[in-house]
Coordinates of all heavy atoms in Angstrom, one line a residue:
H12 N 0.8 -1.2 0.0 CA 0.0 0.0 0.0 C 0.8 1.3 0.0 O 0.3 2.3 -0.3 CB -0.9 0.0 1.2 CG -2.1 -0.9 1.1 ND1 -3.2 -0.7 0.3 CD2 -2.3 -2.2 1.6 CE1 -4.0 -1.7 0.3 NE2 -3.5 -2.6 1.1
G13 N 2.1 1.2 0.4 CA 2.9 2.3 0.4 C 2.8 3.2 1.7 O 1.7 3.2 2.3
W14 N 3.8 3.9 2.1 CA 3.9 4.6 3.3 C 2.7 5.6 3.4 O 2.1 5.8 4.4 CB 5.2 5.3 3.5 CG 5.2 6.3 4.6 CD1 5.4 7.7 4.4 CD2 4.9 6.1 6.0 NE1 5.2 8.3 5.6 CE2 4.9 7.4 6.6 CE3 4.6 5.0 6.7 CZ2 4.7 7.6 7.9 CZ3 4.3 5.2 8.1 CH2 4.4 6.4 8.7
E15 N 2.5 6.4 2.4 CA 1.5 7.5 2.4 C 0.1 6.9 2.8 O -0.6 7.5 3.5 CB 1.5 8.3 1.2 CG 2.7 9.2 1.0 CD 2.9 10.2 2.2 OE1 1.9 10.8 2.7 OE2 4.1 10.4 2.6
N16 N -0.3 5.8 2.2 CA -1.6 5.2 2.5 C -1.6 4.6 3.9 O -2.6 4.7 4.6 CB -1.9 4.1 1.4 CG -2.4 4.7 0.1 OD1 -2.9 5.8 0.1 ND2 -2.2 4.0 -0.9
V17 N -0.5 4.0 4.3 CA -0.5 3.5 5.7 C -0.6 4.6 6.7 O -1.3 4.6 7.6 CB 0.8 2.6 5.9 CG1 1.0 2.3 7.4 CG2 0.8 1.4 5.1
K18 N 0.1 5.7 6.4 CA 0.0 6.9 7.3 C -1.4 7.4 7.3 O -1.9 7.7 8.4 CB 1.0 8.0 6.7 CG 1.0 9.3 7.5 CD 1.9 10.3 6.9 CE 1.8 11.6 7.6 NZ 2.7 12.6 7.0
R19 N -2.0 7.6 6.2 CA -3.4 8.1 6.1 C -4.3 7.1 6.9 O -5.2 7.6 7.6 CB -3.9 8.2 4.7 CG -3.3 9.4 3.9 CD -3.7 9.4 2.5 NE -5.1 9.3 2.3 CZ -5.7 8.4 1.5 NH1 -5.0 7.5 0.8 NH2 -7.0 8.4 1.4
A20 N -4.1 5.8 6.8 CA -4.9 4.9 7.4 C -4.7 4.9 9.0 O -5.7 4.9 9.7 CB -4.6 3.4 6.9
L21 N -3.5 5.1 9.4 CA -3.2 5.2 10.8 C -3.9 6.5 11.4 O -4.4 6.5 12.5 CB -1.7 5.2 11.1 CG -1.0 3.9 11.0 CD1 0.5 4.0 11.0 CD2 -1.5 2.9 12.1
L22 N -3.8 7.6 10.7 CA -4.4 8.8 11.2 C -5.9 8.7 11.2 O -6.5 9.2 12.2 CB -3.9 10.0 10.3 CG -2.4 10.4 10.4 CD1 -2.1 11.4 9.3 CD2 -2.1 10.9 11.8
A23 N -6.5 8.1 10.3 CA -7.9 7.8 10.3 C -8.3 6.9 11.4 O -9.3 7.2 12.1 CB -8.4 7.2 8.9
Y24 N -7.5 5.9 11.7 CA -7.8 5.0 12.8 C -7.7 5.7 14.1 O -8.6 5.6 15.0 CB -6.8 3.8 12.8 CG -7.0 2.8 13.8 CD1 -7.8 1.6 13.4 CD2 -6.6 2.9 15.1 CE1 -8.0 0.6 14.4 CE2 -6.9 1.9 16.1 CZ -7.6 0.8 15.7 OH -7.9 -0.2 16.6
R25 N -6.7 6.6 14.3 CA -6.5 7.3 15.5 C -7.7 8.3 15.7 O -8.2 8.4 16.8 CB -5.2 8.1 15.5 CG -4.9 8.8 16.8 CD -3.6 9.6 16.8 NE -3.8 10.7 15.9 CZ -2.8 11.5 15.6 NH1 -1.6 11.4 16.1 NH2 -3.0 12.5 14.8
L26 N -8.2 8.9 14.6 CA -9.3 9.8 14.7 C -10.6 9.1 15.2 O -11.3 9.5 16.0 CB -9.5 10.5 13.4 CG -10.6 11.5 13.3 CD1 -10.2 12.7 14.1 CD2 -10.9 11.9 11.9
L27 N -10.8 7.9 14.6 CA -12.0 7.1 14.9 C -11.9 6.4 16.2 O -12.9 6.2 16.9 CB -12.3 6.1 13.8 CG -12.7 6.8 12.5 CD1 -12.6 5.7 11.3 CD2 -14.1 7.3 12.5
C28 N -10.7 5.8 16.6 CA -10.6 5.0 17.8 C -9.9 5.6 18.9 O -9.8 5.0 20.0 CB -9.9 3.7 17.3 SG -10.7 2.8 16.0
R29 N -9.3 6.8 18.7 CA -8.6 7.5 19.7 C -7.3 6.9 20.2 O -6.8 7.2 21.3 CB -9.5 7.9 20.9 CG -10.8 8.6 20.5 CD -11.3 9.3 21.7 NE -12.6 10.0 21.4 CZ -12.8 11.1 20.8 NH1 -11.8 11.7 20.3 NH2 -14.0 11.6 20.6
D30 N -6.8 6.0 19.4 CA -5.5 5.4 19.8 C -4.9 4.8 18.5 O -5.6 4.8 17.4 CB -5.6 4.3 20.9 CG -6.4 3.1 20.5 OD1 -6.3 2.6 19.4 OD2 -7.2 2.7 21.4
L31 N -3.7 4.2 18.6 CA -3.1 3.5 17.5 C -2.9 2.0 17.8 O -1.9 1.4 17.3 CB -1.9 4.2 17.0 CG -2.1 5.5 16.3 CD1 -0.7 6.2 16.1 CD2 -2.8 5.4 15.0
L32 N -3.7 1.5 18.7 CA -3.5 0.1 19.1 C -4.3 -0.8 18.2 O -5.3 -1.4 18.6 CB -4.0 -0.1 20.6 CG -3.3 0.8 21.6 CD1 -3.9 0.7 23.0 CD2 -1.8 0.5 21.6
V33 N -3.9 -0.9 17.0 CA -4.5 -1.7 15.9 C -4.3 -3.2 16.1 O -3.2 -3.6 16.2 CB -4.0 -1.2 14.5 CG1 -4.7 -1.9 13.4 CG2 -4.1 0.3 14.4
R34 N -5.4 -3.9 16.2 CA -5.2 -5.4 16.4 C -4.7 -6.0 15.1 O -5.0 -5.5 14.0 CB -6.5 -6.0 16.9 CG -7.7 -5.9 15.9 CD -8.9 -6.6 16.5 NE -10.1 -6.3 15.7 CZ -10.4 -6.8 14.5 NH1 -9.6 -7.7 14.0 NH2 -11.5 -6.4 13.8
Q35 N -4.0 -7.1 15.2 CA -3.3 -7.7 14.1 C -4.3 -8.0 12.9 O -3.9 -7.9 11.8 CB -2.6 -8.9 14.5 CG -1.7 -9.5 13.4 CD -0.8 -10.6 13.9 OE1 -0.6 -10.7 15.1 NE2 -0.3 -11.4 13.0
G36 N -5.5 -8.5 13.2 CA -6.4 -8.9 12.1 C -7.2 -7.8 11.6 O -8.1 -8.0 10.7
F37 N -7.0 -6.5 12.0 CA -7.9 -5.4 11.6 C -7.7 -5.1 10.1 O -6.6 -4.9 9.6 CB -7.6 -4.2 12.4 CG -8.5 -3.0 12.0 CD1 -9.8 -3.0 12.5 CD2 -8.1 -2.0 11.2 CE1 -10.6 -1.9 12.1 CE2 -8.9 -1.0 10.8 CZ -10.2 -0.9 11.3
V38 N -8.9 -5.1 9.4 CA -9.0 -4.7 8.0 C -9.9 -3.5 7.9 O -11.0 -3.5 8.5 CB -9.5 -5.9 7.1 CG1 -9.7 -5.4 5.7 CG2 -8.6 -7.1 7.2
I39 N -9.5 -2.5 7.2 CA -10.3 -1.3 7.1 C -11.7 -1.7 6.4 O -11.7 -2.2 5.3 CB -9.6 -0.2 6.3 CG1 -8.4 0.3 7.1 CG2 -10.6 1.0 6.0 CD1 -7.6 1.4 6.5
P40 N -12.8 -1.3 7.1 CA -14.1 -1.7 6.6 C -14.5 -0.8 5.4 O -14.0 0.3 5.3 CB -15.0 -1.5 7.8 CG -14.3 -0.5 8.6 CD -12.8 -0.7 8.4
E41 N -15.5 -1.3 4.7 CA -16.1 -0.6 3.6 C -17.2 0.3 4.1 O -18.4 -0.2 4.0 CB -16.5 -1.5 2.5 CG -15.4 -2.2 1.8 CD -15.8 -3.1 0.7 OE1 -16.9 -3.0 0.2 OE2 -15.0 -4.0 0.3
N42 N -16.9 1.4 4.8 CA -18.0 2.3 5.2 C -17.5 3.7 5.1 O -16.3 4.0 5.0 CB -18.5 1.9 6.6 CG -17.6 2.2 7.7 OD1 -16.9 3.2 7.8 ND2 -17.5 1.2 8.6
A43 N -18.5 4.6 5.3 CA -18.2 6.1 5.0 C -17.3 6.7 6.1 O -16.8 7.8 5.8 CB -19.5 6.8 5.0
D44 N -17.0 6.0 7.2 CA -16.0 6.5 8.1 C -14.6 6.5 7.6 O -13.7 7.2 8.2 CB -16.1 5.8 9.5 CG -17.4 6.0 10.2 OD1 -18.0 7.0 10.0 OD2 -17.7 5.1 11.0
W45 N -14.3 5.7 6.6 CA -13.0 5.5 6.1 C -12.9 6.0 4.7 O -13.8 5.8 3.9 CB -12.6 4.0 6.2 CG -12.6 3.5 7.5 CD1 -13.6 3.0 8.2 CD2 -11.5 3.4 8.4 NE1 -13.2 2.6 9.5 CE2 -11.9 2.8 9.6 CE3 -10.1 3.8 8.3 CZ2 -11.0 2.6 10.7 CZ3 -9.3 3.6 9.3 CH2 -9.7 3.0 10.5
P46 N -11.7 6.5 4.3 CA -11.5 6.9 2.8 C -11.7 5.6 2.0 O -11.2 4.6 2.2 CB -10.1 7.4 2.8 CG -9.7 7.8 4.2 CD -10.5 6.8 5.1
E47 N -12.5 5.8 0.9 CA -12.9 4.7 0.1 C -11.7 4.0 -0.5 O -11.7 2.7 -0.7 CB -13.8 5.2 -1.0 CG -14.4 4.0 -1.8 CD -15.5 4.5 -2.8 OE1 -16.0 5.6 -2.6 OE2 -15.8 3.7 -3.7
D48 N -10.6 4.7 -0.8 CA -9.5 4.1 -1.5 C -8.7 3.2 -0.5 O -7.8 2.5 -0.9 CB -8.6 5.1 -2.2 CG -7.9 6.1 -1.2 OD1 -8.6 6.6 -0.3 OD2 -6.7 6.4 -1.3
L49 N -9.0 3.3 0.8 CA -8.3 2.5 1.8 C -9.1 1.3 2.2 O -8.6 0.4 3.0 CB -8.0 3.3 3.1 CG -7.1 4.5 2.8 CD1 -6.9 5.3 4.2 CD2 -5.7 4.1 2.2
W50 N -10.4 1.2 1.7 CA -11.2 0.0 2.1 C -10.5 -1.3 1.8 O -9.9 -1.4 0.7 CB -12.5 0.1 1.3 CG -13.5 1.2 1.8 CD1 -13.3 2.1 2.8 CD2 -14.7 1.5 1.2 NE1 -14.3 2.9 2.8 CE2 -15.3 2.6 1.9 CE3 -15.5 0.9 0.1 CZ2 -16.5 3.1 1.6 CZ3 -16.7 1.4 -0.2 CH2 -17.2 2.5 0.5
G51 N -10.5 -2.2 2.7 CA -9.9 -3.5 2.5 C -8.5 -3.6 2.9 O -7.9 -4.7 2.8
M52 N -7.8 -2.5 3.2 CA -6.4 -2.5 3.6 C -6.3 -3.3 4.9 O -7.0 -3.1 5.8 CB -5.9 -1.1 3.8 CG -4.5 -1.0 4.3 SD -3.9 0.6 4.9 CE -3.5 1.3 3.3
K53 N -5.3 -4.2 4.9 CA -5.0 -5.0 6.1 C -4.1 -4.1 7.0 O -2.9 -4.4 7.1 CB -4.3 -6.3 5.7 CG -5.3 -7.1 4.9 CD -4.6 -8.4 4.4 CE -5.5 -9.2 3.6 NZ -4.9 -10.4 3.1
L54 N -4.7 -3.2 7.7 CA -3.9 -2.2 8.5 C -3.3 -3.0 9.7 O -2.2 -2.6 10.1 CB -4.8 -1.1 9.0 CG -4.1 0.0 9.8 CD1 -3.0 0.7 9.0 CD2 -5.1 1.0 10.3
G55 N -4.0 -3.9 10.3 CA -3.4 -4.7 11.4 C -2.1 -5.4 11.0 O -1.2 -5.4 11.7
F56 N -2.1 -5.9 9.8 CA -0.9 -6.6 9.3 C 0.2 -5.6 9.1 O 1.4 -5.9 9.4 CB -1.3 -7.4 8.0 CG -0.1 -8.2 7.4 CD1 0.3 -9.3 8.1 CD2 0.5 -7.8 6.2 CE1 1.4 -10.1 7.5 CE2 1.5 -8.6 5.7 CZ 2.0 -9.7 6.4
A57 N -0.1 -4.4 8.5 CA 0.9 -3.4 8.3 C 1.5 -3.0 9.7 O 2.7 -2.8 9.8 CB 0.3 -2.2 7.6
V58 N 0.6 -2.8 10.7 CA 1.1 -2.4 12.0 C 2.0 -3.5 12.6 O 3.0 -3.2 13.2 CB -0.1 -2.1 13.0 CG1 0.3 -2.0 14.4 CG2 -0.7 -0.8 12.5
Y59 N 1.6 -4.8 12.5 CA 2.4 -5.9 12.9 C 3.8 -5.8 12.3 O 4.8 -6.0 13.0 CB 1.7 -7.2 12.6 CG 2.5 -8.4 12.9 CD1 2.5 -9.0 14.2 CD2 3.4 -9.0 12.0 CE1 3.3 -10.1 14.5 CE2 4.2 -10.1 12.3 CZ 4.1 -10.6 13.6 OH 4.9 -11.7 13.9
N60 N 3.8 -5.6 11.0 CA 5.1 -5.5 10.3 C 6.0 -4.3 10.8 O 7.2 -4.4 10.8 CB 4.9 -5.5 8.8 CG 4.6 -6.9 8.3 OD1 5.2 -7.9 8.8 ND2 3.7 -7.0 7.3
I61 N 5.3 -3.2 11.0 CA 6.0 -2.0 11.6 C 6.7 -2.4 12.9 O 7.8 -2.1 13.1 CB 5.1 -0.8 11.7 CG1 4.7 -0.3 10.3 CG2 5.7 0.3 12.5 CD1 3.5 0.7 10.3
R62 N 5.9 -3.0 13.8 CA 6.4 -3.3 15.1 C 7.4 -4.4 15.1 O 8.4 -4.4 15.9 CB 5.2 -3.7 16.0 CG 4.4 -2.5 16.4 CD 3.5 -2.8 17.6 NE 2.7 -1.7 17.9 CZ 1.4 -1.5 17.7 NH1 0.7 -2.5 17.2 NH2 0.8 -0.4 18.0
N63 N 7.2 -5.4 14.3 CA 8.0 -6.6 14.4 C 9.1 -6.8 13.3 O 10.0 -7.6 13.5 CB 7.1 -7.9 14.5 CG 6.2 -7.8 15.7 OD1 6.7 -8.0 16.8 ND2 5.0 -7.6 15.5
N64 N 8.9 -6.2 12.2 CA 9.8 -6.5 11.1 C 10.5 -5.2 10.6 O 11.2 -5.3 9.6 CB 9.0 -7.1 9.9 CG 8.5 -8.5 10.3 OD1 9.1 -9.2 11.1 ND2 7.3 -8.8 9.8
G65 N 10.3 -4.1 11.2 CA 11.0 -2.9 10.9 C 10.5 -2.2 9.6 O 11.2 -1.4 9.0
T66 N 9.3 -2.6 9.1 CA 8.7 -2.0 8.0 C 8.5 -0.5 8.2 O 8.1 -0.1 9.3 CB 7.4 -2.7 7.6 OG1 7.6 -4.1 7.5 CG2 6.8 -2.1 6.4
Y67 N 8.8 0.3 7.2 CA 8.8 1.8 7.3 C 9.6 2.3 8.4 O 9.3 3.4 9.0 CB 7.3 2.2 7.5 CG 6.4 1.7 6.4 CD1 5.3 0.9 6.7 CD2 6.6 2.1 5.1 CE1 4.5 0.5 5.7 CE2 5.8 1.6 4.1 CZ 4.7 0.8 4.4 OH 3.9 0.4 3.4
S68 N 10.7 1.7 8.7 CA 11.6 2.1 9.8 C 12.2 3.5 9.5 O 12.5 4.3 10.4 CB 12.7 1.1 10.1 OG 13.5 0.9 8.9
T69 N 12.2 3.9 8.3 CA 12.7 5.2 7.9 C 11.7 6.3 8.3 O 12.1 7.5 8.3 CB 13.0 5.3 6.4 OG1 11.8 5.0 5.7 CG2 14.2 4.4 6.0
H70 N 10.5 5.9 8.7 CA 9.5 6.9 9.1 C 9.2 6.8 10.6 O 8.2 7.3 11.1 CB 8.2 6.6 8.4 CG 8.3 6.7 6.9 ND1 8.4 8.0 6.2 CD2 8.5 5.8 5.9 CE1 8.5 7.8 4.9 NE2 8.6 6.5 4.7
R71 N 10.2 6.2 11.4 CA 10.0 6.0 12.8 C 9.7 7.3 13.5 O 8.8 7.4 14.4 CB 11.2 5.4 13.4 CG 11.0 5.0 14.9 CD 12.1 4.3 15.5 NE 11.8 4.0 16.9 CZ 11.4 2.8 17.4 NH1 11.4 1.8 16.6 NH2 11.1 2.7 18.7
A72 N 10.4 8.4 13.2 CA 10.1 9.7 13.9 C 8.7 10.2 13.7 O 8.0 10.7 14.6 CB 11.1 10.7 13.5
E73 N 8.2 10.0 12.4 CA 6.9 10.4 12.1 C 5.8 9.6 12.8 O 4.8 10.1 13.3 CB 6.7 10.2 10.6 CG 5.9 11.3 9.9 CD 5.9 11.2 8.4 OE1 6.9 10.6 7.8 OE2 4.9 11.6 7.8
L74 N 6.1 8.2 12.9 CA 5.2 7.3 13.6 C 5.2 7.7 15.1 O 4.1 7.8 15.7 CB 5.7 5.9 13.5 CG 5.4 5.3 12.1 CD1 6.3 4.1 11.9 CD2 4.0 4.9 12.0
E75 N 6.3 8.0 15.7 CA 6.4 8.4 17.1 C 5.6 9.7 17.3 O 4.9 9.8 18.3 CB 7.8 8.5 17.6 CG 8.5 7.1 17.7 CD 10.0 7.2 18.1 OE1 10.6 8.3 18.0 OE2 10.5 6.2 18.4
E76 N 5.8 10.6 16.4 CA 5.1 11.9 16.5 C 3.5 11.7 16.5 O 2.8 12.4 17.1 CB 5.5 12.8 15.4 CG 5.0 14.2 15.5 CD 5.6 15.1 14.4 OE1 6.8 15.2 14.3 OE2 4.8 15.7 13.6
M77 N 3.1 10.7 15.7 CA 1.6 10.4 15.7 C 1.2 9.7 17.0 O 0.0 9.7 17.2 CB 1.4 9.3 14.6 CG 1.2 9.8 13.2 SD 0.7 8.4 12.2 CE 2.0 8.4 11.0
G78 N 2.1 9.2 17.8 CA 1.7 8.5 19.0 C 1.8 7.0 18.9 O 1.3 6.3 19.7
F79 N 2.4 6.6 17.8 CA 2.6 5.1 17.6 C 3.4 4.5 18.7 O 4.5 5.0 18.9 CB 3.1 4.9 16.2 CG 3.1 3.4 15.8 CD1 2.0 2.9 15.1 CD2 4.2 2.6 16.0 CE1 2.0 1.6 14.7 CE2 4.2 1.3 15.6 CZ 3.1 0.8 14.9
D80 N 3.0 3.4 19.3 CA 3.7 2.7 20.3 C 4.3 1.4 19.7 O 3.6 0.5 19.3 CB 2.8 2.4 21.5 CG 3.5 1.7 22.6 OD1 4.7 1.3 22.5 OD2 2.9 1.6 23.7
F81 N 5.6 1.4 19.6 CA 6.3 0.3 18.9 C 6.2 -1.0 19.8 O 6.5 -2.1 19.2 CB 7.7 0.6 18.6 CG 7.8 1.6 17.4 CD1 7.7 2.9 17.6 CD2 8.0 1.1 16.1 CE1 7.8 3.8 16.5 CE2 8.1 1.9 15.1 CZ 8.0 3.3 15.2
D82 N 5.9 -0.9 21.0 CA 5.9 -2.1 21.9 C 4.5 -2.5 22.4 O 4.4 -3.4 23.1 CB 6.8 -1.8 23.1 CG 8.2 -1.6 22.8 OD1 8.7 -2.3 21.9 OD2 8.8 -0.6 23.3
S83 N 3.5 -1.8 22.0 CA 2.2 -1.9 22.6 C 1.6 -3.3 22.5 O 0.9 -3.7 23.5 CB 1.2 -0.9 22.0 OG 0.8 -1.3 20.7
Q84 N 1.8 -4.1 21.5 CA 1.2 -5.4 21.4 C 1.9 -6.4 22.3 O 1.4 -7.5 22.6 CB 1.2 -5.9 20.0 CG 0.1 -5.1 19.2 CD -0.2 -5.8 17.9 OE1 0.5 -6.6 17.4 NE2 -1.3 -5.3 17.3
S85 N 3.1 -6.1 22.9 CA 3.7 -7.0 23.7 C 3.7 -6.6 25.2 O 4.3 -7.2 26.0 CB 5.2 -7.2 23.3 OG 5.9 -5.9 23.4
T86 N 3.0 -5.5 25.5 CA 3.0 -5.1 26.9 C 1.6 -4.8 27.4 O 1.1 -3.7 27.4 CB 3.8 -3.7 27.0 OG1 3.2 -2.8 26.1 CG2 5.2 -3.9 26.7
G87 N 1.0 -5.9 27.9 CA -0.2 -5.8 28.7 C -1.5 -5.3 28.2 O -2.3 -4.9 28.9
H88 N -1.6 -5.4 26.9 CA -3.0 -5.0 26.3 C -3.8 -6.2 26.0 O -4.9 -6.1 25.5 CB -2.8 -4.2 25.0 CG -2.2 -2.8 25.3 ND1 -2.9 -1.8 25.9 CD2 -0.9 -2.3 25.0 CE1 -2.1 -0.7 26.0 NE2 -0.9 -1.0 25.5
G89 N -3.3 -7.4 26.3 CA -4.0 -8.6 26.1 C -4.0 -9.1 24.6 O -4.7 -10.0 24.3
W90 N -3.3 -8.4 23.8 CA -3.3 -8.7 22.3 C -2.7 -10.1 22.1 O -3.1 -10.8 21.2 CB -2.5 -7.7 21.5 CG -3.0 -6.4 21.5 CD1 -2.5 -5.3 22.1 CD2 -4.3 -5.9 20.9 NE1 -3.3 -4.2 21.9 CE2 -4.4 -4.6 21.2 CE3 -5.3 -6.6 20.2 CZ2 -5.5 -3.8 20.8 CZ3 -6.4 -5.8 19.8 CH2 -6.5 -4.5 20.1
E91 N -1.8 -10.6 23.0 CA -1.3 -11.9 22.8 C -2.3 -13.0 23.0 O -2.1 -14.1 22.5 CB -0.1 -12.1 23.7 CG -0.5 -12.2 25.2 CD -0.6 -10.8 25.9 OE1 -0.4 -9.8 25.2 OE2 -0.9 -10.7 27.1
N92 N -3.5 -12.7 23.6 CA -4.5 -13.6 23.8 C -5.5 -13.7 22.6 O -6.4 -14.5 22.6 CB -5.2 -13.4 25.1 CG -4.3 -13.5 26.3 OD1 -3.4 -14.4 26.3 ND2 -4.4 -12.6 27.2
V93 N -5.5 -12.7 21.7 CA -6.4 -12.6 20.6 C -6.0 -13.7 19.6 O -4.9 -13.7 19.1 CB -6.4 -11.2 20.0 CG1 -7.3 -11.1 18.8 CG2 -6.8 -10.2 21.1
K94 N -7.0 -14.5 19.2 CA -6.7 -15.5 18.2 C -7.4 -15.1 16.9 O -8.4 -14.6 16.8 CB -7.3 -16.8 18.6 CG -6.6 -17.3 20.0 CD -5.3 -18.0 19.7 CE -4.8 -18.6 21.0 NZ -3.5 -18.3 21.3

């Protein structure tokens, strides 16, 4: 999807959910709350890759400025129990 679309999706998620704690299986739904060109994006998979595989590591400062927590899924949010 490219960095710009992932960034737009994260900002939309933050606006709607008030955080960036995107669960791994989250896919952007097809509804008016989300930009139509992002419908179907596997945002949870993108976030997993950012946290665990260094994807978009060149944008780390921008992610931190957004409030992105690089450790959130491994520290007490119960995400490890989600199947």
Side-chain angles (χ1 to χ4, degrees):
H12 287 282
W14 166 245
E15 288 304 319
N16 283 337
V17 170
K18 178 181 172 181
R19 287 175 50 235
L21 286 170
L22 291 171
Y24 186 96
R25 186 180 69 184
L26 184 67
L27 292 166
C28 301
R29 302 200 187 284
D30 64 41
L31 289 173
L32 303 175
V33 183
R34 64 180 168 78
Q35 187 173 342
F37 181 78
V38 176
I39 293 180
E41 296 182 14
N42 71 43
D44 290 336
W45 296 89
E47 189 172 343
D48 65 315
L49 299 179
W50 290 359
M52 177 192 279
K53 296 177 181 178
L54 184 59
F56 185 68
V58 166
Y59 174 86
N60 282 323
I61 290 168
R62 288 197 177 110
N63 297 291
N64 299 324
T66 305
Y67 304 119
S68 59
T69 56
H70 299 282
R71 186 176 180 105
E73 220 173 333
L74 286 160
E75 288 174 347
E76 190 175 301
M77 271 188 241
F79 189 87
D80 183 349
F81 286 85
D82 299 316
S83 71
Q84 289 192 345
S85 61
T86 56
H88 292 287
W90 296 112
E91 65 279 0
N92 299 322
V93 177
K94 300 276 186 231

